[in-house]
Amino acid sequence: TFYYFVRLCLDKILLQCVLQSRTLSGADAINALRPFYFAVHPDFFGQHPKEREVNENSLKRLNGYLENLQKPGFRSFKPTQLTFYVREREPNSSNVQESFSASGFRAVSFTLHTRDLLSTVLDILNSCSLSTDHVQSLNVNSQPHKEAKSTVNRPIKWDKTYYTFTGFKDPEEELEQAQRVETTLLSWLDDNEASAVKKLKKSLPLRKELERLKIELSHELQLSDIRWQRSWGIAHRCSQLHSLGRLVQQRPEILENVKGRTVVFTDRSGMSAAGHIMLGTMDVHHHWTKIFERLPNYYKLQKRLLLLEDRISQLLGGIQVIYIEELQPLLTLEEYFETLNSFYNKLRDSRLPFHPRSLRGLQMILESDRYAPSLHELGHFMIPTVCDPAALQWFIFAKAQEARENLKRKEEMMITEKELINTSTERFSLDRLYKEPSVSSAQMIDCCKRLLEESLPYLQGMHLCISHFYSVLQDGDLCIPWNWK
């Protein structure tokens, strides 16, 4: 028995040596994950805002997991479930850059529970059905993935008496227990409240600086608002406002045409379909200057766009053409004008017999990535630009009454949502309560109602974001899923 026990100990030491020889550096891990990042990067999901936001949130959590693995003495072991929308590959494409179809993607969910970078990288690639061949070419002493898998899966079955005798924890039992226990709001807040408070306190000076800069620039330029398309950190936002402030000092004359407008910091520069001034965060002052110089021409195009919307409305019985930033991709003014113009020409040639003003009070948005019309739960019609005019006429007539009921319900829900947000903010002494754009009003209402039934002292003074996942943002905001348990 003693010999058997010694042999088991030696086997364990040998197993640890094998695992240590198969280590990746942080740079190696990034290189190995390039096909994965290419498949899920949010910038490739511009036409799909919901999927883009899911990938943004999951990448934040994945990066946090990878960072923890590289910390000296890292021992905590909490399985992390992630969901990504992965762009589909063309079946016969051999070129990586061309192997993804622009028309489709699939949802992939997997749980990370590995303790080293190499195993984590291999798990991610395999979960997304991506090749792992390139991992072997990295400058690490790694085994083929099939062997790596078998090692991590512990082919040596330790006798349970070994753990009883030594007091060591059985890793298989730990994993099974962790997978059985579902994350609850209270347990997650208990584990993450201290970290969030620390990050929040650290961000407070920057938050005050951001608010000061925003107020000063809005007043100086007489802007309606300053927004951000994506959830950049506070430091990043301050840097962007400082850049705009320097441009104002250097070229004050070019900013005369911004009065009453909204400035949006986003991925590219121009004017948005909603009429907002877009400043690309990767562009230099020279590009921003050109945008401000072109504003008079943009305003002329915007007038033509509004006239085009009115003409479409007249052809469709008075239905209002709208653009909803939260639900539609961020289009430039030029892109949206081309979409409207193409749709208008198609309607004009079809001469649909809509009675004037018969659909007044209804709303519709145009979408370029759909083939069949639909009615959104918020009451607006979602009309494909390629929709057959006859099918469009039948669909609108059939759904008109339901659309009016949905619009009325939307107004009631928005009032209820606002009241619940105010009540919850006051009840838990929150500094701020908000939701991600992909969370609907119905989901937010359900979330707030259930929150108000709980006692949550952890939330005092915090910034709480209602999302689809649990996470702590870099500036201390707490993100919880709307359907928390």
Side-chain angles (χ1 to χ4, degrees), residues 233-484:
I234 304 297
H236 196 168
R237 297 188 182 199
C238 285
S239 176
Q240 292 158 2
L241 291 185
H242 279 299
S243 294
L244 180 58
R246 285 193 295 270
L247 181 59
V248 171
Q249 294 176 354
Q250 295 166 7
R251 299 288 303 277
E253 72 283 357
I254 65 171
L255 301 172
E256 295 175 355
N257 296 312
V258 301
K259 182 179 179 180
R261 293 284 169 171
T262 292
V263 167
V264 181
F265 290 97
T266 180
D267 295 324
R268 52 180 175 166
S269 297
M271 179 167 278
S272 73
H276 302 326
I277 301 168
M278 301 191 302
L279 300 181
T281 56
M282 300 302 291
D283 293 338
V284 294
H285 281 182
H286 174 68
H287 295 100
W288 289 6
T289 300
K290 282 188 174 181
I291 296 302
F292 287 119
E293 289 174 345
R294 292 176 189 161
L295 285 180
N297 291 329
Y298 278 126
Y299 296 155
K300 290 178 183 177
L301 180 60
Q302 188 180 25
K303 288 181 180 179
R304 292 175 58 196
L305 186 147
L306 294 174
L307 181 60
L308 203 52
E309 287 182 338
D310 286 340
R311 288 176 176 172
I312 292 173
S313 177
Q314 291 171 10
L315 291 174
L316 292 178
I319 190 171
Q320 182 185 8
V321 183
I322 60 173
Y323 176 82
I324 305 177
E325 289 180 283
E326 294 81 5
L327 300 179
Q328 294 180 258
L330 187 66
L331 300 176
T332 63
L333 197 66
E334 298 94 331
E335 291 169 342
Y336 190 48
F337 180 84
E338 288 300 318
T339 299
L340 286 171
N341 193 46
S342 173
F343 185 71
Y344 169 70
N345 290 331
K346 190 172 185 178
L347 280 181
R348 183 187 57 189
D349 296 339
S350 67
R351 299 182 180 276
L352 293 176
F354 280 98
H355 190 278
R357 297 184 296 278
S358 61
L359 299 177
R360 196 171 181 180
L362 298 181
Q363 300 173 340
M364 60 166 278
I365 64 173
L366 280 175
E367 295 199 330
S368 57
D369 59 348
R370 287 177 177 267
Y371 294 95
S374 62
L375 177 62
H376 195 275
E377 61 180 4
L378 296 181
H380 58 267
F381 288 97
M382 303 168 72
I383 307 300
T385 54
V386 297
C387 184
D388 175 65
L392 172 63
Q393 179 188 11
W394 176 88
F395 184 82
I396 291 179
F397 279 147
K399 297 286 186 177
Q401 183 56 36
E402 184 181 349
R404 295 187 190 280
E405 293 171 359
N406 286 4
L407 283 171
K408 183 178 180 181
R409 192 181 311 117
K410 170 191 170 183
E411 294 176 2
E412 295 170 351
M413 287 176 62
M414 290 182 68
I415 294 173
T416 303
E417 179 185 10
K418 186 176 180 180
E419 290 175 349
L420 285 170
I421 289 175
N422 292 336
T423 303
S424 300
T425 302
E426 184 178 349
R427 161 79 181 276
F428 300 113
S429 301
L430 288 164
D431 195 69
R432 185 189 178 201
L433 173 59
Y434 62 104
K435 68 174 185 177
E436 292 181 346
S438 58
V439 176
S440 68
S441 292
Q443 292 170 338
M444 187 67 172
I445 289 171
D446 176 71
C447 177
C448 289
K449 283 182 176 178
R450 292 190 298 114
L451 280 175
L452 289 169
E453 296 174 357
E454 302 291 327
S455 175
L456 301 169
Y458 306 95
L459 300 180
Q460 186 173 355
M462 301 302 294
H463 292 242
L464 182 63
C465 174
I466 307 304
S467 175
H468 297 278
F469 305 98
Y470 285 108
S471 63
V472 178
L473 301 186
Q474 62 187 31
D475 295 304
D477 293 47
L478 287 166
C479 293
I480 65 170
W482 69 270
N483 56 344
W484 52 271

